[in-house]
Amino acid sequence: MKKIFSLFSTFNHIFIAPYASLSSPLVVVIILMLTMSCNTSETDTAVPPGGGGEANPELKTNVKALQNFQDMRFGMFVHWGPVSLKGTEIGWSRGREIPISEYDSLYLKFNPTKFDAEEWIRIAKDAGMKYFVITSKHHDGFSLWPSKYTDYDIENTPIKRDLLKEMQQACENQDILFGTYYSVLDWKHPDYTTRYNDPRPVEESNMAVYKEYLFNQVEELITDYNTNIIWFDGQWEASWTHEMGMELYKHCRDLKDELLINNRVDKGFKGMAGMTDSIAKYAGDYGTPEQRIGSFNNQFPWESCITICKQWAWKPDDVMKSPKECIHTLIKTVGGDGNLLLNVGPMPDGRIEPRQVEVLKEIGDWLDVNGEAIYGTRGGPWLPTDAWASTNKGKKVYLHVMATETRLLQLPLLEGMKIKKAKILGGGDVKVEVDRNIMLSLPEELPSDYAYVIELTTNGVFPSLENIIVN
Ligand code: JFZ
């Protein structure tokens, strides 16, 4: 049954206006008026909607793996390979900014002697990240591990070490979940049947041969590297079909049932908004909005992948986001019930750029205080806005306030919800008044200029926003 909560149904935006009766010039009132429709009669379903697509109707997303993934909320994405020697984009610059013969020879000079897997994973951990996804093979076809099926791999670079293994072990040592990105598209492989800036005749290629190569390589990632997430990509070209996507999904799950596989394994991925067009038809465990925060959706799991700079792979002096921007991105993502996979592109010597490490550290410091409002939470019960977002866990509701100049918050009452206690994470009292709205008065001093969190202890009754899926 659908109920409409509409306290001020003519407004559905947020207003920030001076609050006349209080004297401080800092005092601003945020009047939040959301027209909300919610469903309180249904409980959360235990079976997630994703899985192996129409060819594998019995193959549903592994519930335990998915819950663990959603509880983590924040991970590190890494785009790295020989192309970092040039500072151009991974995959896409082959035959564009860099001539093909030069691009394909870069691996002969790839010698990241300062690479230290434990250090990378420590950086991720200090940032408050709980999982790690590395490009094992991007569109350029280079394999970051010694693959039995190709010579175009790490074994034939001057560094020779198995860097992927080192990363997997560091993740295990430091309790970070290890995942691998793998591009089904391969513009270097002779048998992949779409060319990109590449004069080799397509007639000489054979997708069946390439498919076998791909399936074999993915098997290596699962059995030899015990990957927990396979982050597929490059599914959009005509060479890759819906049937192949579903078959690949099944191949992976047959090898390891607790594996999570993103929706780019198949053709259901809808543009950069990243969600799956018909979950029953297409394979994939979660949606992948790219370079944007996904819309609120607690019916199909999702993860936004967003770069800390502009490029995925390292670029010297690339424009970098501030800690505040990253923290707000994390808050809005989690408030919309999604995960954030924040990308860094390490340098050719193997180090993550120090200025990026500094930003990551600031995020980690913020999470040290506010992490309980992020990890293990779900988005809502209010829809996120630019000024604030909400998350919940058990009887706790967390209000993440990004408009840090605000000293009085006003939000619509939710049917049945009673507030028993309110405090600011990191210290500070909140005065609560409830009439037709919830009014929260805040102290002058707040724990962070980036954003702060008000923890509300409630009676545990609030609508679940189930019927508000905005794609
Ligand atoms: C893809 C990759 O190309 C990119 O390098 C990165 O790995 C990202 C996570 O995924 O991004 C895309 C995908 C498709 C288009 C552009 C970027 N496209 O079709 O224009």
Side-chain angles (χ1 to χ4, degrees), residues 77 79 89-90 92 135 138-139 181 231 233-234 236 264 269 272 290 305 312:
F77 209 1
H79 278 64
E89 194 56 290
I90 192 164
W92 295 94
T135 46
H138 206 271
H139 311 335
Y181 165 108
W231 212 102
D233 191 26
W236 59 84
R264 299 193 190 187
F269 173 83
M272 306 293 260
E290 178 172 326
C305 54
W312 291 98

Side-chain angles (χ1 to χ4, degrees), residues 235-342:
Q235 80 300 336
W236 59 84
E237 292 192 323
S239 297
W240 192 249
T241 66
H242 175 39
E243 284 65 36
M244 290 175 193
M246 292 187 291
E247 199 186 327
L248 179 57
Y249 182 97
K250 184 168 180 349
H251 173 65
C252 296
R253 288 289 299 281
D254 283 351
L255 288 163
K256 178 171 177 171
D257 188 47
E258 321 81 75
L259 198 64
L260 284 180
I261 302 163
N262 70 343
N263 66 343
R264 299 193 190 187
V265 68
D266 197 355
K267 309 289 274 191
F269 173 83
K270 271 192 298 188
M272 306 293 260
M275 299 307 275
T276 302
D277 189 16
S278 174
I279 292 156
K281 181 172 177 186
Y282 296 104
D285 297 323
Y286 62 94
T288 50
E290 178 172 326
Q291 295 291 38
R292 68 179 70 189
I293 297 161
S295 304
F296 186 95
N297 188 334
N298 61 10
Q299 300 301 287
F300 187 62
W302 58 275
E303 172 200 68
S304 278
C305 54
I306 295 178
T307 49
I308 197 166
C309 291
K310 292 218 155 159
Q311 226 174 242
W312 291 98
W314 183 67
K315 178 181 170 181
D317 303 318
D318 200 359
V319 179
M320 189 173 64
K321 296 184 175 79
S322 67
K324 184 173 177 172
E325 215 177 332
C326 294
I327 289 165
H328 286 196
T329 300
L330 177 64
I331 289 171
K332 289 179 196 173
T333 303
V334 177
D337 207 33
N339 282 25
L340 176 65
L341 190 59
L342 185 65

Side-chain angles (χ1 to χ4, degrees), residues 136-203:
S136 67
K137 187 199 85 170
H138 206 271
H139 311 335
D140 62 11
F142 176 78
S143 302
L144 198 62
W145 77 101
S147 172
K148 282 200 282 289
Y149 305 99
T150 182
D151 289 333
Y152 188 45
D153 66 2
I154 197 74
E155 211 172 2
N156 293 302
T157 65
I159 194 91
K160 280 197 171 64
R161 281 154 47 191
D162 184 352
L163 304 187
L164 198 69
K165 193 43 118 188
E166 293 177 22
M167 292 177 206
Q168 181 219 334
Q169 276 165 355
C171 283
E172 279 175 16
N173 292 343
Q174 299 191 49
D175 196 24
I176 291 283
L177 193 88
F178 177 70
T180 42
Y181 165 108
Y182 186 94
S183 172
V184 298
L185 161 177
D186 188 329
W187 287 321
K188 163 110 176 3
H189 198 287
D191 287 306
Y192 180 74
T193 51
T194 306
R195 303 286 191 226
Y196 170 79
N197 302 328
D198 190 321
R200 287 175 297 172
V202 155
E203 295 70 44

Side-chain angles (χ1 to χ4, degrees), residues 42-152:
E42 284 168 35
T43 47
D44 288 347
T45 51
V47 181
E54 60 187 338
N56 312 299
E58 71 303 330
L59 198 53
K60 296 289 178 207
T61 302
N62 184 298
V63 179
K64 227 177 114 207
L66 179 65
Q67 264 168 13
N68 179 41
F69 173 73
Q70 288 193 295
D71 285 349
M72 295 189 294
R73 297 267 98 152
F74 187 32
M76 177 183 269
F77 209 1
V78 177
H79 278 64
W80 193 48
V83 72
S84 59
L85 287 161
K86 296 302 267 188
T88 58
E89 194 56 290
I90 192 164
W92 295 94
S93 58
R94 181 180 181 272
R96 201 169 61 177
E97 288 87 355
I98 306 170
I100 286 181
S101 61
E102 185 186 353
Y103 193 108
D104 293 349
S105 307
L106 287 171
Y107 77 113
L108 298 170
K109 289 190 232 141
F110 187 51
N111 195 18
T113 51
K114 293 190 176 151
F115 171 75
D116 177 351
E118 296 289 348
E119 178 67 15
W120 278 23
I121 301 307
R122 192 155 37 246
I123 291 166
K125 226 178 150 89
D126 287 349
M129 292 155 158
K130 305 288 186 193
Y131 63 108
F132 172 86
V133 181
I134 173 75
T135 46
S136 67
K137 187 199 85 170
H138 206 271
H139 311 335
D140 62 11
F142 176 78
S143 302
L144 198 62
W145 77 101
S147 172
K148 282 200 282 289
Y149 305 99
T150 182
D151 289 333
Y152 188 45

Side-chain angles (χ1 to χ4, degrees), residues 9-26:
S9 54
T10 41
F11 306 107
N12 56 7
H13 292 292
I14 109 173
F15 292 83
I16 302 184
Y19 191 66
S21 69
L22 294 172
S23 53
S24 161
L26 275 174

